């Protein structure tokens, strides 16, 4: 079955067209600057060069239309007819407590997603716009919503409640939700199987380390705790996001004269590795800085790796041990130095790191020694494929 996977932002739309049975990407791309000047579509058929088309896109319906035309293009397309799009899988950021798994979209589901808009005001409305645009252009084609939060709905109450009045949880749904669920679900399963464990009888910690980072404790195939919280701002330090801080800092900065909007921007866009290093959010630049002995790079990387290690050790307590630690996403898959520094902290719990095996990027690999009590691996994530596979499973 050929599935179009859509990841819609407020002014952008990423897509992949996937043969979900063969698990192969046929084409992929991105529409940028939708609804504003300078719109463009970047399209790439697998194995071919990227093609960029500059064109104004008034709204997301126009963008989806351009994507469908590109897929059917005589020269570079991969289908002859729009009906070859057999299903559409939509990434939806927030499913609240309503959605604990992927679901076929109907009017009721749309209302449910809309009801979660409050929880992800920047993302869910954009996701809905994408769904509505696809429904308008492909009537009758089954569509599936795959939520970033759904995988974490198995967390026990002790992991998802915050220490604030319970009434606020009841009234507003303030609790830990967790994100990157499709990645944690896929990578935890793959990593368990990689070492010969059955996912349903394994304890895996997934370190999804990218621009946004989150750690997840996956016990017997289910998320039991995760580092992101009510929003994706919580948890470990990230590229530009602060991760966990004392909430009183917000109050303090407010009284120093910053507005709530300024503080929001500071914590989301100017903090993290960028804020600590003062020069970059990109871990490649940070590693270069460390190699040059730059103090500011060393401090940023130290805070990051220390924080990741503390989460992993904490999740060992949460699960009563760990069988497998998996590193994934841009930093986890590529930054050999981060993996080494994080694992150095974990020797006390039986992690024996294989420095020679660690010299690997972007592919599945064991990076612990044979006599390591806890197995460690690199496991590439593939969120689009998970969306395509969930869509296939539900539509079939
Ligand atoms: P993601 O959000 O998963 O796409 O990850 C993007 C991040 O991965 C970038 O900001 C880089 O910091 C990081 N990254 C990509 N390649 C490398 C590399 N070779 N070494 C270190 N970090 C990398």
């Amino acid at each position: 079955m050929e599935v179009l996977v859509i990841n819609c932002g407020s002014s952008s739309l990423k897509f992949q067209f996937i043969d979900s049975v063969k698990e192969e990407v046929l084409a992929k791309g991105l529409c940028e600057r939708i609804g504003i000047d300078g719109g463009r579509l970047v399209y790439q058929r697998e194995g071919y060069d990227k093609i960029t088309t500059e064109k104004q896109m008034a709204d997301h319906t126009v963008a989806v239309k351009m994507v469908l035309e590109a897929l059917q293009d005589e020269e570079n397309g991969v289908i002859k007819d729009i009906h070859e799009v057999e299903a559409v899988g939509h990434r939806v950021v927030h499913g609240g407590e309503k959605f604990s798994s992927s679901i076929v979209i109907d009017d009721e589901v749309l209302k449910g997603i809309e009801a979660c808009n409050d929880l992800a005001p920047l993302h869910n409305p954009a996701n809905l716009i994408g769904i509505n645009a696809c429904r308008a252009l492909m009537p009758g084609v089954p569509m599936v919503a795959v939520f970033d939060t759904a995988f974490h709905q198995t967390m026990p109450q002790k992991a998802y409640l915050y220490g604030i009045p319970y009434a606020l949880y009841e009234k507003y749904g303030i609790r830990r939700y967790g994100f990157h669920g499709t990645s944690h679900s896929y990578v935890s399963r793959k990593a368990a199987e990689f070492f010969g464990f059955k996912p349903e009888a394994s304890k895996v910690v997934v370190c999804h380390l990218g621009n946004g980072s989150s750690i997840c404790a996956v016990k017997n195939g289910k998320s039991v705790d995760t580092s992101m919280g009510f929003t994706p701002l919580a948890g470990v330090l990230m590229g530009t996001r602060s991760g966990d801080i004392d909430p009183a800092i917000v109050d303090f900065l407010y009284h120093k004269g910053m507005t709530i909007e300024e503080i929001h921007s500071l914590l989301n866009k100017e903090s993290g590795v960028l804020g600590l290093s003062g020069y970059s959010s990109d871990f490649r630049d940070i590693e270069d800085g460390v190699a040059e002995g730059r103090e500011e790079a060393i401090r940023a990387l130290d805070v990051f790796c220390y924080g990741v290690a503390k989460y992993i050790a904490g999740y060992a307590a949460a699960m009563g041990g760990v069988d497998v630690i998996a590193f994934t996403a841009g930093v986890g898959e590529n930054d050999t130095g981060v993996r080494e520094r994080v694992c150095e902290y974990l020797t006390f719990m039986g992690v024996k790191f294989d420095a020679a095996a660690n010299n690997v990027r972007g592919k599945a690999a064991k990076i612990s020694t044979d006599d390591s009590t806890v197995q460690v691996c690199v496991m590439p994530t593939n969120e689009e494929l998970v969306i395509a596979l969930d869509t296939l499973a539900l539509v079939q």
Side-chain angles (χ1 to χ4, degrees):
M1 174 179 284
E2 288 173 1
V3 177
L4 179 60
V5 174
I6 298 279
N7 180 355
C8 211
S10 54
S11 67
S12 70
L13 183 155
K14 288 188 207 144
F15 68 93
Q16 287 199 5
F17 190 57
I18 297 178
D19 182 328
S20 57
V21 177
K22 291 190 190 146
E23 300 190 9
E24 279 174 15
V25 177
L26 304 174
K28 63 183 174 190
L30 163 73
C31 297
E32 290 175 304
R33 302 182 66 83
I34 301 168
I36 43 182
D37 281 350
R40 63 182 197 152
L41 163 75
V42 182
Y43 172 88
Q44 186 173 31
R45 182 179 175 181
E46 193 59 23
Y48 290 70
D49 288 339
K50 279 185 187 161
I51 300 165
T52 302
T53 313
E54 312 275 346
K55 195 176 164 193
Q56 193 80 5
M57 289 172 271
D59 56 32
H60 288 73
T61 311
V62 177
V64 175
K65 214 168 170 187
M66 271 182 82
V67 170
L68 293 175
E69 279 165 11
L71 289 170
Q72 296 172 82
D73 185 73
E74 272 195 17
E75 213 175 310
N76 295 295
V78 288
I79 54 173
K80 296 218 156 32
D81 188 282
I82 193 172
H83 296 105
E84 289 174 51
V85 180
E86 291 169 277
V88 183
H90 293 271
R91 175 185 180 222
V92 179
V93 166
H94 222 303
E97 290 189 323
K98 215 179 197 80
F99 300 108
S100 55
S101 59
S102 303
I103 191 163
V104 175
I105 297 170
D106 59 17
D107 291 342
E108 250 339 272
V109 170
L110 283 181
K111 275 190 210 145
I113 296 172
E114 203 177 336
C116 300
N117 278 1
D118 243 12
L119 297 169
L122 296 180
H123 296 100
N124 270 33
N127 300 152
L128 278 169
I129 288 171
I131 294 171
N132 286 325
C134 287
R135 284 182 114 202
L137 289 167
M138 292 174 273
V141 175
M143 314 238 163
V144 169
V146 180
F147 302 91
D148 273 22
T149 51
F151 182 61
H152 302 297
Q153 280 296 304
T154 47
M155 281 191 291
Q157 200 178 52
K158 63 186 174 189
Y160 72 69
L161 281 184
Y162 291 123
I164 55 175
Y166 189 70
L168 292 174
Y169 163 63
E170 292 180 306
K171 190 169 178 193
Y172 298 122
I174 299 179
R175 51 159 283 178
R176 181 188 307 283
Y177 288 100
F179 298 86
H180 292 140
T182 47
S183 178
H184 288 303
S185 155
Y186 176 79
V187 171
S188 60
R189 188 161 27 88
K190 285 273 177 194
E193 286 167 355
F194 184 74
F195 287 112
F197 291 98
K198 288 200 174 96
E200 57 281 9
S202 65
K203 296 167 183 171
V204 183
V205 176
V206 178
C207 305
H208 178 113
L209 310 178
N211 264 326
S213 294
S214 71
I215 322 286
C216 184
V218 186
K219 189 174 184 182
N220 302 334
K222 296 196 162 92
S223 170
V224 293
D225 207 344
T226 191
S227 61
M228 281 180 169
F230 181 60
T231 74
L233 183 56
V236 291
L237 192 75
M238 307 180 208
T240 62
R241 281 174 251 171
S242 65
D244 294 335
I245 58 164
D246 182 337
I249 294 170
V250 174
D251 199 50
F252 181 87
L253 291 174
Y254 179 73
H255 288 293
K256 289 285 174 203
M258 287 181 79
T259 65
I260 287 297
E261 289 72 27
E262 284 166 350
I263 299 170
H264 177 86
S265 171
L266 176 94
L267 297 177
N268 278 283
K269 298 187 180 145
E270 299 155 45
S271 296
V273 166
L274 171 65
L276 275 178
S277 71
Y279 74 92
S280 180
S281 65
D282 192 310
F283 281 71
R284 285 165 287 208
D285 300 336
I286 301 298
E287 288 288 5
D288 288 347
V290 170
E292 291 159 15
R294 288 176 69 173
E295 192 66 37
E296 61 273 36
I298 295 168
R299 106 181 134 225
L301 206 63
D302 268 355
V303 177
F304 179 78
C305 295
Y306 176 67
V308 172
K310 279 205 297 185
Y311 264 105
I312 298 172
Y315 289 163
M319 296 193 288
V322 181
D323 298 317
V324 176
I325 298 167
F327 287 93
T328 195
V331 177
E333 289 170 33
N334 296 297
D335 195 324
T336 56
V338 162
R339 296 195 298 248
E340 181 158 10
R341 285 182 192 87
V342 169
C343 287
E344 271 170 15
Y345 286 104
L346 306 173
T347 46
F348 82 94
M349 54 185 253
V351 170
K352 286 194 187 162
F353 189 70
D354 187 335
N358 185 45
N359 193 16
V360 63
R361 286 178 185 82
K363 58 177 187 189
K366 174 180 172 215
I367 56 169
S368 48
T369 61
D370 288 341
D371 62 341
S372 182
T373 316
V374 179
Q375 306 290 342
V376 188
C377 68
V378 178
M379 185 55 64
T381 189
N382 194 337
E383 291 172 275
E384 288 77 13
L385 180 63
V386 180
I387 294 174
L389 292 176
D390 271 19
T391 303
L392 170 74
L394 282 169
V395 167
Q396 273 187 339

